[in-house]
């Protein structure tokens, strides 16, 4: 068994002695986690959810643990991050990026537990009393203006002050005239239903040709949206800045990048107004803090992507509490079955569109193994470029 070779004395968390992975099946997606144990009797958890490659992500986590984690001090987060990324020759990418991110979350959980403080105390403290969140996933069902409007009303009634949605169906590259009219009618219906005081964010899912995206930024202007997210594929990142110049509202994006090196072109081209790193994809606490600082250098704000479980929601709250250029946090928590919250016990609740300051040591979450046993992974796949994807049917 390979172990980390160091003569440095261990910190208050001890040394890493065992690493395991768990996956929970849901109707939304399979949620995966890493749990890291130390010889001091502590355990820390992090989220390693991949929307389609749960097996691969868990296997890589377990393999990298043998190479880089066993025997390491959880407090050596910078060295461990470098070992995982550089020492394993990851060179970026989604599966490796998710592993590094989840491990980093678990290390911070261990540090917080060892010191008896919430993680946010270790990552900049707090510069706000609560974290504003927006709802996603609320529009599951028929793609029709009236149905969207009804679900928007129901979501706002739960206390949310911001909603994100994709009105474009299976549109890719271009939209037919009929599809364009339907998409804009949906946006108009949601704006009327939500009222003028609710922020609306429109999702593009990185799939339009430039001329289609350029028309959309004109057509969306009357609806006073908070941002247009990923209107172009990232293979055309250089054209984002040109689109920004045409838009009367912010352009956002960045969820698909996994570290500062992948973000470099986004910053170099001033591609967006708002970056959207995911704490479970972009390198965990260690890296997302650096991305936020780089964003501030470019006069950009941060609205973290989070299409994961309540564990990532909770971890993201810890991450953004001390982030001066934070805007708002995404959450799908309202879409999930009750047993998900039983599986990740201690996840922070959403109250009237906000999440309060955590007070438990570490992340404050423990995984309930018995719930995982009752709900094994399903390995579902739903194609976002197929008709009816937004219904998220259990297939």
């Amino acid at each position: 068994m390979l172990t980390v070779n160091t003569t440095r004395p261990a910190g208050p968390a001890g040394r890493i002695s065992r690493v395991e992975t768990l996956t929970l099946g849901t109707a939304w997606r399979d949620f995966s986690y890493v749990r890291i144990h130390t010889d001091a009797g502590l355990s820390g958890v992090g989220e390693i959810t991949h929307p389609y490659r749960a097996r691969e992500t868990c296997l890589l986590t377990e393999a990298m643990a043998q190479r880089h984690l066993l025997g390491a001090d959880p407090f050596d987060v910078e060295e461990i991050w470098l070992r995982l990324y550089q020492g394993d020759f990851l060179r970026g990418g989604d599966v490796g990026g998710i592993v590094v991110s989840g491990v980093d979350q678990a290390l911070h959980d261990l540090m917080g537990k060892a010191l008896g403080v919430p993680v946010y105390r270790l990552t900049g403290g707090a510069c706000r009393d609560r974290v504003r969140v927006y709802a996603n996933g609320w529009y599951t069902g028929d793609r029709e203006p009236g149905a969207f409007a009804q679900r928007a009303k129901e979501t706002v009634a739960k206390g949310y002050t911001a909603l994100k949605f994709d009105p474009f169906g299976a549109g890719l590259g271009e939209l037919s005239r009929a599809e364009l009219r339907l998409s804009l009618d949906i946006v108009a219906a949601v704006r009327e239903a939500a009222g003028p005081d609710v922020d609306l964010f429109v999702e593009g899912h990185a799939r339009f040709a430039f001329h289609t995206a350029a028309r959309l930024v004109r057509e969306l202007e009357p609806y006073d949206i908070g941002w247009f997210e990923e209107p172009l594929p990232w293979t055309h990142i250089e054209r984002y800045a040109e689109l920004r110049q045409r838009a009367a509202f912010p352009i956002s994006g960045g969820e698909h990048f996994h570290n500062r090196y992948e973000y470099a072109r986004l910053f170099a081209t001033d591609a967006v107004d708002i970056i959207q790193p995911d704490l479970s994809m972009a390198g965990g606490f260690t890296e997302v803090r650096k991305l936020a600082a780089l964003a501030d250098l470019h006069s950009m704000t941060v609205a973290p992507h989070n299409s994961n479980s309540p564990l990532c929601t909770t971890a993201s709250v810890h991450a953004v509490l001390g982030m001066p250029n934070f805007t708002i946090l995404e959450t799908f928590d309202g879409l999930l079955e009750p047993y998900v919250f039983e599986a990740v016990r201690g996840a922070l609740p959403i109250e009237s569109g906000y999440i309060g300051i955590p007070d438990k040591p570490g992340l404050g979450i423990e995984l309930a193994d018995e719930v995982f046993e009752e709900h094994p992974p399903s390995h579902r796949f739903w194609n976002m470029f197929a008709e009816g994807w937004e219904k998220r049917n259990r297939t």
Side-chain angles (χ1 to χ4, degrees), residues 48 58 69 101 112 135 156 182 197 229 268 296 302 307 357 366 387:
I48 54 170
C58 289
L69 297 180
S101 303
V156 171
L182 175 58
D197 297 327
E229 182 169 330
D296 184 54
V302 185
S307 61
I357 293 183
E366 299 295 337
E387 292 290 340

Side-chain angles (χ1 to χ4, degrees), residues 65-188:
Q66 296 291 320
R67 294 191 284 269
H68 305 293
L69 297 180
L70 297 180
D73 182 341
F75 278 79
D76 293 335
V77 288
E78 288 285 352
E79 181 189 28
I80 292 172
W81 202 101
L82 185 63
R83 280 179 177 272
L84 295 172
Y85 181 77
Q86 194 75 24
D88 222 75
F89 294 91
L90 284 182
R91 300 296 184 270
D94 57 346
V95 175
I98 288 170
V99 173
V100 173
S101 303
V103 167
D104 191 81
Q105 290 175 29
L107 297 178
H108 280 78
D109 188 24
L110 281 166
M111 289 191 290
K113 288 175 178 174
L115 297 175
V117 299
V119 166
Y120 80 89
R121 293 290 189 190
L122 310 175
T123 58
C127 53
R128 51 186 53 85
D129 295 332
R130 57 183 182 169
V131 171
R132 186 175 177 227
V133 301
Y134 68 86
N136 201 345
W138 55 270
Y139 55 99
T140 300
D142 293 331
R143 183 170 166 253
E144 184 272 322
F148 266 68
Q150 181 58 38
R151 291 192 293 274
K153 287 181 181 178
E154 293 169 356
T155 307
V156 171
K158 296 176 182 177
Y160 289 98
T161 61
L163 313 175
K164 188 169 81 178
F165 61 109
D166 182 333
F168 304 112
L172 175 63
E174 298 178 313
L175 291 172
S176 68
R177 297 179 69 84
E179 281 294 310
L180 177 63
R181 287 195 302 272
L182 175 58
S183 300
L184 295 173
D185 286 346
I186 288 172
V187 177

Side-chain angles (χ1 to χ4, degrees), residues 26 63 328:
T26 80
I328 194 170

Side-chain angles (χ1 to χ4, degrees), residues 4 31-32 49 71 105 132 145 169 194 225-226 255 325 343 347 350 357 371:
V4 176
F31 293 131
S32 297
T49 293
Q105 290 175 29
R132 186 175 177 227
I225 65 172
E255 68 187 67
N325 55 336
I350 300 170
I357 293 183
V371 182

Side-chain angles (χ1 to χ4, degrees), residues 108-349:
H108 280 78
D109 188 24
L110 281 166
M111 289 191 290
K113 288 175 178 174
L115 297 175
V117 299
V119 166
Y120 80 89
R121 293 290 189 190
L122 310 175
T123 58
C127 53
R128 51 186 53 85
D129 295 332
R130 57 183 182 169
V131 171
R132 186 175 177 227
V133 301
Y134 68 86
N136 201 345
W138 55 270
Y139 55 99
T140 300
D142 293 331
R143 183 170 166 253
E144 184 272 322
F148 266 68
Q150 181 58 38
R151 291 192 293 274
K153 287 181 181 178
E154 293 169 356
T155 307
V156 171
K158 296 176 182 177
Y160 289 98
T161 61
L163 313 175
K164 188 169 81 178
F165 61 109
D166 182 333
F168 304 112
L172 175 63
E174 298 178 313
L175 291 172
S176 68
R177 297 179 69 84
E179 281 294 310
L180 177 63
R181 287 195 302 272
L182 175 58
S183 300
L184 295 173
D185 286 346
I186 288 172
V187 177
V190 172
R191 168 51 74 201
E192 182 177 0
D197 297 327
V198 172
D199 283 315
L200 300 182
F201 309 128
V202 174
E203 169 73 80
H205 279 124
R207 68 186 189 271
F208 295 117
F210 184 87
H211 62 273
T212 301
R215 178 165 185 182
L216 287 170
V217 299
R218 294 196 307 271
E219 300 283 4
L220 289 170
E221 186 172 347
Y223 306 111
D224 189 24
I225 65 172
W227 70 60
F228 189 12
E229 182 169 330
E230 297 200 325
L232 301 171
W234 287 107
T235 46
H236 304 135
I237 189 171
E238 288 79 8
R239 302 211 72 184
Y240 263 79
E242 182 182 350
L243 191 67
R244 281 182 61 212
Q245 294 175 0
R246 300 179 183 222
F249 40 74
I251 301 295
S252 68
E255 68 187 67
H256 299 292
F257 302 145
H258 304 95
N259 51 61
R260 79 201 90 147
Y261 310 111
E262 292 185 22
Y263 259 93
R265 285 177 64 207
L266 180 148
F267 289 127
T269 58
D270 285 324
V272 299
D273 300 284
I274 303 167
I275 68 166
Q276 297 176 294
D278 189 313
L279 199 71
S280 289
M281 291 193 285
F285 292 99
T286 297
E287 192 74 350
V288 168
R289 289 188 72 196
K290 297 170 183 174
L291 292 172
L294 288 168
D296 184 54
L297 188 65
H298 289 80
S299 192
M300 299 173 182
T301 61
V302 185
H305 176 264
N306 171 36
S307 61
N308 300 313
S309 82
L311 192 155
C312 189
T313 301
T314 294
S316 297
V317 169
H318 284 269
V320 304
L321 274 170
M323 193 178 289
N325 55 336
F326 166 72
T327 295
I328 194 170
L329 173 65
E330 179 175 26
T331 174
F332 278 78
D333 290 15
L335 176 71
L336 305 176
E337 300 95 332
Y339 70 78
V340 176
F341 297 89
E342 297 171 6
V344 289
R345 291 174 183 165
L348 297 171

